[in-house]
Amino acid sequence: MSKVITPQQEDYSKWYNDIVINADLADHSAVRGCMVIKPHGYAIWEKMQQALDKMFKDTGHVNAYFPLFIPKSLFEAEEKNAEGFAKECAIVTHYRLKSDPNNKGKLIVDPDAKLEEELIVRPTSEAIIWNTYKSWIQSYRDLPILVNQWANVVRWEMRTRLFLRTAEFLWQEGHTAHATKEEAIEETTKMLDVYANFVENWMAVPVIKGVKTANERFAGADDTYCIEALMQDGKALQAGTSHFLGQNFAKAFDVKFAAKDGKLDHVWATSWGVSTRLMGALIMSHSDDKGLVIPPKLAPTQVVIVPIYKGDEGLKKMSEVAQSIKVKLEAKNISVKYDDRDTQRPGWKFADYELKGIPVRIALGERDLANGTIEVARRDTLSKETIRIEEVDVYIEKLLIEIQNNLFQKALERRKNMTHEANSYEEFKQILDEKSGFVLAHWDGSPETEEKIKNETKATIRCIPLNNPQEDGICIYSGKASKQRVLFARAY
RNA sequence: CGGGGUGUAGCGUAGCCCGGUAUCGCGCCACAUUUGGGAUGUGGAGGUCGUCAGUUCGAAUCUGGCCACCCCGACCA
C-alpha cells in the first residue's frame, strides 16, 4: 500500500483531506488559503460546469464577464452587502513595485504608486454588475436581463479547507434584472430548482430546498433560498443559494426603467451561485475508505479497461479486443480509457482507479479471451461480474445508469436515517451529540432564539423547507407557539 | 485573529532535550525474474534539514522574526 487513506471512522476530517490529495483532486499551494486544482479534480469541475452551463442556457440565460476589481466607492454603495463582506476582502492599494534600495534583488511596493481609489478584489459581483446594468436598462423593453458569469472570487477566510472553504474559489454567479417583483421571485425559485435538479440528478446528492432565516440571509438580499445536503458524517453543507434581492441593488445603483404606462420604477433583481464547494459535497456524499467515488454522469472517464497479459504478444492480442470494446462503448457515448501501460501491474491499476473513483473497470485476460468474457467491476459496490463480451455495450450502458441511481438512493437512505425530529431542547441536544444529522424542530421564529441555540449547540437553522408541512407546536427553546418545524444541523 | 501542534529526499519519518552536515520505510532509476488485487531480488540516484536573521570554531539541534499546514476556538452567504 503506497497510498494510505485514513479510515472515515478514525478521523473523518483527515479522511476528507486524504481523499482530496491522494485522488489527485487538489493540493495546497504556496498561497495562504488557496489551492491548486489538479487535472483530475478540474476535469470533474469541468463536467459540472458543462451540465450547469447547458441548464442555464436552456432556461434563457447568457454568459458574460465582469471585472475582477471593484472600486471601493461602488463596493460600498449597497450598505448591507458591503458590510457583510467588508471583513473578508482583499484590497489592491498600489499598482507598481520597485527595487529595494536597501536590499539587492528584492522588491518593495512603490509608495509613489498608490491608487487614488482602492480596488476591492471581488468577493461577489453584485456591485460591479449593477453599476453596469444602470447603463443597460432604460425601459421595460430592456428587461429581463438574464446573465451568468463563470469566475473566480476571493474571500479572505480565517480558516480554509480544500474545496469547502478556500480564499479564492471558482464559481458561477447569475445576476438577473426584472420588471416585476413576481417575475424576480419566479426566477429565484426557478434557479433553485435548476440547482436541485443538478445536484440530485448529476451529483447524486439529495438536497432539501428551503429558505434561509433572516440571520443566515445573503447580505443585501430580501430572501435567500438554498439547497442543503447532508454529508456522511452528519454535518450539513449548503450546496447552492439563490437570492431574491428585491430592489436593494437597483436603489443603491439608481437603476430605473420606464414601464409601459410611462412610470419610472426600480428594477427587481436576483442572484444565484454554486461554487467549487460542490466538489466537497460530491466527495463527502459517496466516497469511501478506498478513495473517491464519482457518479457516472460526472466522471471524466466512465470506464477503464485494464489488460492482464504476458509478454508483447499477449498485450497485442488483448489490445485488439480492448480496442473493439472501446469503440463499441464510445458509440454509446460512454467515455473509455484503455490503460495498456506496461509500467504498472494490473493490481496497482485496480487500486489506483478505485482511488480515483472511476465508476466501472473492465479487466481482460487470457482466461477471458478463451471464454469470450470480460470481468466488470463497479466502484460503488466494489462487486465484480463476468459477462459475455458481445453484450458489453448494452450491459455497461445499463450499469452506468444503475450506479448513478444506486449512489443517489444510498445517499437518500442515509439522509433519511440521519434526519430526526426533536420535541424538546434536551432531546435536540442529545440527537446532535449522539446521532448528528438533520434535526427537525419547532422554532419561535425569532432571531434571538436562533442565535442562542447556535451559541449553545453550534447548530444552525439550515433552512425553512419549502412546502413545509404546517403543524402546531411549541419552540424547543422558548416554549412559544410555532406553526412548523425548521431544519437544524451543524454545518460546514 | 487567540490557544496548542507540526515543518528533515516526491511521500511518511528517526535524530533535536545533551550542537560536530543526517536514520529507516515507501516511491524513483537500471537490470533480471514477474503480471487475474497495490510483485521480488540485486545495484543505484536523490537533502541549501520550511524560511530569514542571530549565538557559536561549528547549527537539523540553541535564540528570535517570518511563512505554510493541522487541531481547538472566534469568524463564515
Side-chain angles (χ1 to χ4, degrees):
Chain A
M1 294 275 276
S2 61
K3 307 273 191 184
V4 179
I5 291 171
T6 307
Q8 290 188 352
Q9 291 300 320
E10 192 181 311
D11 186 336
Y12 194 80
S13 168
K14 255 195 188 142
W15 169 84
Y16 175 81
N17 267 324
D18 285 351
I19 295 284
V20 172
I21 290 177
N22 289 316
D24 276 341
L25 298 178
D27 214 339
H28 298 288
S29 72
V31 189
R32 181 198 184 90
C34 296
M35 64 179 166
V36 172
I37 304 177
K38 296 174 80 174
H40 186 47
Y42 201 80
I44 299 170
W45 173 242
E46 280 180 316
K47 296 285 284 190
M48 291 185 178
Q49 282 185 301
Q50 284 160 14
L52 282 166
D53 200 64
K54 180 169 190 308
M55 291 168 123
F56 298 156
K57 285 170 179 161
D58 287 348
T59 45
H61 302 85
V62 289
N63 286 332
Y65 188 80
F66 296 85
L68 169 67
F69 303 117
I70 304 173
K72 189 165 129 302
S73 56
L74 289 186
F75 186 75
E76 65 201 7
E78 209 295 322
E79 231 175 296
K80 281 187 181 153
N81 185 250
E83 211 185 287
F85 285 103
K87 293 178 302 242
E88 50 190 51
C89 285
I91 303 127
V92 180
T93 55
H94 292 75
Y95 58 86
R96 192 165 63 213
L97 298 168
K98 64 174 192 180
S99 302
D100 184 348
N102 304 317
N103 204 345
K104 227 182 152 224
K106 303 285 182 185
L107 295 170
I108 56 168
V109 173
D110 186 343
D112 295 334
K114 192 164 165 25
L115 289 171
E116 288 281 315
E117 182 181 0
E118 293 89 349
L119 297 173
I120 314 298
V121 180
R122 62 182 168 213
T124 182
S125 301
E126 276 79 5
I128 187 73
I129 287 179
W130 277 89
N131 176 258
T132 308
Y133 281 0
K134 182 179 164 63
S135 65
W136 290 7
I137 300 166
Q138 278 87 39
S139 150
Y140 73 93
R141 294 176 208 272
D142 299 323
L143 297 171
I145 291 180
L146 304 172
V147 164
N148 175 62
Q149 143 164 294
W150 288 97
N152 58 341
V153 287
V154 169
R155 296 179 188 179
W156 215 263
E157 301 285 357
M158 287 177 180
R159 224 170 116 185
T160 58
R161 291 196 68 188
L162 293 166
F163 287 118
L164 295 176
R165 183 175 291 111
T166 46
E168 179 194 17
F169 58 91
L170 306 184
W171 78 344
Q172 59 70 216
E173 45 182 329
H175 295 273
T176 69
H178 306 266
T180 67
K181 180 180 180 178
E182 293 67 34
E183 192 185 302
I185 290 174
E186 194 193 323
E187 166 78 6
T188 312
T189 54
K190 181 198 284 177
M191 297 322 288
L192 187 76
D193 288 342
V194 164
Y195 287 156
N197 176 19
F198 171 75
V199 175
E200 296 202 326
N201 295 319
W202 268 258
M203 292 175 58
V205 175
V207 294
I208 290 177
K209 292 189 276 190
V211 63
K212 288 286 187 192
T213 61
N215 279 1
E216 300 279 327
R217 196 177 287 155
F218 175 77
D222 282 0
D223 259 320
T224 287
Y225 293 79
C226 63
I227 48 173
E228 293 286 328
L230 193 65
M231 304 296 100
Q232 291 161 336
D233 63 343
K235 284 170 86 173
L237 183 75
Q238 179 178 297
T241 48
S242 184
H243 314 292
F244 169 59
L245 302 175
Q247 294 173 308
N248 300 332
F249 284 88
K251 283 176 180 165
F253 289 92
D254 192 31
V255 185
K256 290 181 192 160
F257 72 103
K260 264 186 189 167
D261 59 9
K263 280 187 197 146
L264 279 181
D265 193 11
H266 286 106
V267 172
W268 297 86
T270 84
S271 70
W272 27 274
V274 294
S275 71
T276 35
R277 184 178 234 210
L278 287 178
M279 293 288 292
L282 189 77
I283 296 160
M284 290 193 289
S285 293
H286 309 305
S287 302
D288 58 28
D289 290 348
K290 283 190 178 289
L292 189 66
V293 176
I294 314 172
K297 279 192 184 178
L298 291 177
T301 300
Q302 295 170 310
V303 177
V304 64
I305 306 173
V306 177
I308 299 156
Y309 59 92
K310 292 186 172 86
D312 287 348
E313 269 307 302
L315 177 59
K316 212 180 142 198
K317 270 198 294 185
M318 234 50 86
S319 293
E320 274 172 34
V321 181
Q323 292 294 359
S324 74
I325 293 172
K326 188 165 186 267
V327 168
K328 269 176 98 175
L329 292 176
E330 280 169 348
K332 296 241 180 211
N333 270 323
I334 296 167
S335 57
V336 186
K337 176 176 169 178
Y338 173 46
D339 186 352
D340 63 349
R341 286 177 298 172
D342 63 354
T343 51
Q344 309 294 354
R345 294 158 51 92
W348 189 92
K349 292 178 185 173
F350 293 172
D352 194 51
Y353 289 116
E354 272 160 17
L355 178 63
K356 303 275 168 64
I358 308 305
V360 173
R361 182 187 72 234
I362 294 175
L364 177 65
E366 284 290 350
R367 201 169 67 203
D368 295 299
L369 236 51
N371 299 335
T373 59
I374 51 167
E375 181 188 84
V376 179
R378 49 191 283 188
R379 179 64 185 89
D380 60 335
T381 59
L382 294 168
S383 59
K384 292 186 270 199
E385 207 149 333
T386 301
I387 65 155
R388 303 287 312 160
I389 201 159
E390 55 272 14
E391 61 196 36
V392 61
D393 53 343
V394 177
Y395 182 88
I396 300 281
E397 190 180 37
K398 270 195 213 149
L399 182 61
L400 289 172
I401 294 167
E402 195 188 318
I403 292 172
Q404 182 80 31
N405 292 338
N406 178 51
L407 287 173
F408 181 77
Q409 287 306 326
K410 267 201 322 207
L412 189 63
E413 187 71 14
R414 192 185 65 238
R415 187 184 74 184
K416 212 173 116 193
N417 294 334
M418 291 181 116
T419 302
H420 308 280
E421 289 194 352
N423 294 310
S424 72
Y425 195 45
E426 282 312 308
E427 192 185 0
F428 179 80
K429 287 190 282 194
Q430 194 187 347
I431 291 169
L432 282 175
D433 290 338
E434 289 169 18
K435 298 176 181 165
S436 78
F438 281 140
V439 187
L440 287 161
H442 281 281
W443 164 61
D444 64 18
S446 79
E448 293 76 27
T449 298
E450 183 183 7
E451 190 65 23
K452 280 177 186 157
I453 293 175
K454 181 182 173 182
N455 290 339
E456 290 173 24
T457 67
K458 293 194 179 73
T460 49
I461 299 178
R462 303 316 304 156
C463 69
I464 302 160
L466 299 183
N467 308 319
N468 208 17
Q470 301 294 299
E471 64 171 45
D472 288 325
I474 54 166
C475 172
I476 52 162
Y477 193 86
S478 67
K480 289 181 191 160
S482 157
K483 289 270 181 234
Q484 60 180 348
R485 289 173 186 273
V486 297
L487 191 69
F488 283 92
R490 292 191 178 129
Y492 275 100

